[in-house]
Amino acid sequence: MTKNEVSSISESWMSVEEPIGIWSESNFTVQGLLEHLKVTKDESDYLWHMTRIYVSDDDVAFWEENKVSPTLVIDSMRDVLRIFINGELIGSVSGHWVKVLQPVQFQQGYSDLMLLSQTVGLQDATKAYFKSGVQNDVVVNLQLLIWNYGAFLEKDGAGFRGQIKLTGFKNGDIDLSKASWIYQVGLKGEFQKIFTIEENEKAGWTNLKLDATPSTFTWYKAYFDSPDGSEPIAIDLGSMGKGQAWVNGHHIGRYWNLTAPKDGCPDSCDYRGAYGSNKCMTNCGKPTQTWYHVPRSWLQASNNLLVIFEEIGGNPFEISVKLRVPRILCAQMSESYYPPLREWLHLDLIDGKVSISDMKPQIHLQCEDGQIISSIEFASYGTPHGSCQNFSNGNCHSPNSLSVVSE
């Protein structure tokens, strides 16, 4: 497969900032903490929590005298947490039921403490995705995997567990677990559906300058033309951080440009035996995924709307449209392989006139419509080694393999 860049997205990008905190009258107030999924009800990944903290002069003097800072302590949270004080992002945490210890700074008087909890999918699926070192040119949106398993899966939940408190105050810790919290489900941009063709103009977009500083919690939009041909199309989001993307109102998925660990990729790979998340890892030290598939059925010839919601900062001007064009086709088979599935529907097999053991395994290599096989680069009947584009003859090799296959 070759990477073939077709065009960059239009340089006429526009942006609008997402409000931090409570943004609508649909918010509600509850004494204590609620479970994330039960509140959002699958309407959004995002749930805002806001409470008001009072800091006295004595608290400020206590911190200065003892050279300490208060700390936000959360016993356990999943999947992503953003912490804001008076609208300013001061920290982020991600993980599966991990403890949070975040130093905070308050001014004297009242301050708004806002916690934004987020889900990123089902844990076992995302765990496999992050640790597998998935190649960054895979076109399938791997975050959309929906399989999962395990006892009491439905009770795993999301958001917070245990106690939330502020430590380091003069009169002792402040227990926020039973405080009065204002809840807001989702983002304003989500609610207004500014990612759709019909509603996107309502957001009040402004032109984005080429030298603009990457910002957090920002919506971006631009337009692009559909590439000619029939090859699969992907959007390269390698320049972005974490967020979601839409094309012509269709959600193409969450993106999160995490880098796979540098170590762990084996020199050779064997999938036989019990499954393990560390088996056959590839692309160590590289992004787990940067390409996101866009079905051609979602596109029109020109003026396709691309909307990005970016959480941690990125450069939309480097986003591009790419094609996946097959140039090399490979296959490997042994005498122990089963015959093709279509052979299992053969009438003689169904009628019992022949046995499945009488049928031979087969390799079929075929170009797309309008393309032809230009040459056979390698063929070996015997015990070939290696993988695609890196095959070699083994200790048993039929010398006329290449000529026979080419013919």
Side-chain angles (χ1 to χ4, degrees):
M1 308 291 279
T2 60
K3 301 176 182 179
N4 185 11
E5 183 168 333
V6 176
S7 64
S8 294
I9 302 293
S10 166
E11 292 187 356
S12 299
W13 279 91
M14 306 187 77
S15 67
V16 63
E17 293 186 1
E18 172 66 27
I20 301 300
I22 308 304
W23 50 266
S24 81
E25 296 181 356
S26 62
N27 65 81
F28 60 93
T29 303
V30 173
Q31 202 80 14
L33 294 168
L34 300 177
E35 199 276 328
H36 180 108
L37 297 178
K38 291 181 179 179
V39 178
T40 58
K41 300 184 185 300
D42 206 29
E43 294 180 2
S44 174
D45 286 349
Y46 309 91
L47 178 61
W48 291 98
H49 314 63
M50 188 186 84
T51 191
R52 185 153 289 179
I53 306 298
Y54 179 73
V55 175
S56 67
D57 291 332
D58 291 340
D59 289 319
V60 175
F62 175 78
W63 298 332
E64 293 176 351
E65 179 180 348
N66 294 277
K67 296 182 180 181
V68 297
S69 297
T71 300
L72 175 67
V73 180
I74 302 176
D75 286 347
S76 184
M77 62 73 54
R78 68 159 291 199
D79 294 312
V80 178
L81 170 65
R82 313 287 186 199
I83 304 169
F84 300 83
I85 293 180
N86 295 328
E88 180 180 354
L89 179 64
I90 64 166
S92 298
V93 181
S94 62
H96 185 72
W97 299 122
V98 296
K99 189 178 182 67
V100 177
L101 295 171
Q102 174 63 51
V104 293
Q105 291 185 342
F106 294 107
Q107 301 295 326
Q108 190 279 327
Y110 286 98
S111 296
D112 291 332
L113 173 64
M114 288 175 283
L115 307 179
L116 177 62
S117 62
Q118 305 175 34
T119 55
V120 295
L122 299 176
Q123 177 61 20
D124 284 342
T126 53
K127 180 179 180 181
Y129 165 68
F130 292 144
K131 287 190 175 181
S132 65
V134 178
Q135 293 186 8
N136 64 345
D137 56 2
V138 172
V139 179
V140 179
N141 293 349
L142 296 178
Q143 294 100 318
L144 300 185
L145 290 170
I146 58 174
W147 54 267
N148 210 331
Y149 63 91
F152 308 110
L153 170 64
E154 73 283 359
K155 296 182 179 180
D156 192 33
F160 307 114
R161 282 180 179 170
Q163 189 180 39
I164 296 181
K165 62 183 179 181
L166 285 170
T167 64
F169 281 70
K170 181 179 180 180
N171 294 326
D173 298 346
I174 300 177
D175 185 2
L176 300 178
S177 305
K178 299 179 181 180
S180 179
W181 290 90
I182 302 175
Y183 288 85
Q184 173 74 66
V185 176
L187 307 173
K188 184 178 181 180
E190 285 182 309
F191 178 78
Q192 292 181 333
K193 298 186 183 300
I194 64 175
F195 48 82
T196 64
I197 296 175
E198 299 80 10
E199 306 293 337
N200 82 93
E201 294 297 339
K202 296 180 179 179
W205 303 91
T206 58
N207 291 324
L208 184 66
K209 296 181 180 179
L210 278 170
D211 58 351
T213 301
S215 57
T216 60
F217 288 83
T218 302
W219 294 83
Y220 299 101
K221 80 165 183 175
Y223 293 88
F224 68 96
D225 296 336
S226 177
D228 296 331
S230 60
E231 295 87 359
I233 296 176
I235 301 290
D236 187 346
L237 298 177
S239 63
M240 306 305 288
K242 180 184 181 300
Q244 302 186 52
W246 294 260
V247 171
N248 290 336
H250 297 282
H251 190 233
I252 66 172
R254 305 179 183 99
Y255 65 87
W256 195 352
N257 286 339
L258 298 176
T259 300
K262 293 183 178 180
D263 301 323
C265 292
D267 295 332
S268 61
C269 178
D270 188 348
Y271 279 102
R272 291 177 295 182
Y275 169 77
S277 62
N278 294 326
K279 179 177 286 189
C280 293
M281 294 193 298
T282 59
N283 246 29
C284 288
K286 298 180 181 179
T288 52
Q289 182 180 357
T290 59
W291 287 29
Y292 296 83
H293 178 229
V294 181
R296 282 188 175 270
S297 60
W298 291 358
L299 301 177
Q300 50 198 19
S302 60
N303 292 324
N304 294 287
L305 174 64
L306 172 64
V307 176
I308 304 287
F309 174 65
E310 173 60 43
E311 299 175 19
I312 60 178
N315 184 5
F317 290 104
E318 295 183 9
I319 296 175
S320 60
V321 177
K322 296 189 176 182
L323 294 181
R324 294 297 294 165
V325 183
R327 298 297 186 194
I328 296 178
L329 303 176
C330 307
Q332 187 171 2
M333 176 190 70
S334 76
E335 294 168 325
S336 63
Y337 280 38
Y338 288 107
L341 287 176
R342 61 179 175 275
E343 297 295 327
W344 294 59
L345 299 178
H346 196 284
L347 289 178
D348 289 340
L349 178 64
I350 296 175
D351 294 339
K353 296 179 181 179
V354 298
S355 169
I356 192 67
S357 60
D358 298 327
M359 295 184 172
K360 303 298 183 182
Q362 303 172 21
I363 284 180
H364 288 263
L365 299 181
Q366 178 180 345
C367 291
E368 296 181 7
D369 292 342
Q371 309 271 342
I372 64 170
I373 295 178
S374 59
S375 65
I376 305 297
E377 302 295 331
F378 176 87
S380 174
Y381 176 70
T383 56
H385 301 299
S387 57
C388 186
Q389 302 187 58
N390 193 31
F391 285 127
S392 62
N393 296 333
N395 54 14
C396 175
H397 169 68
S398 177
N400 64 342
S401 299
L402 185 61
S403 60
V404 170
V405 174
S406 296
E407 183 180 345

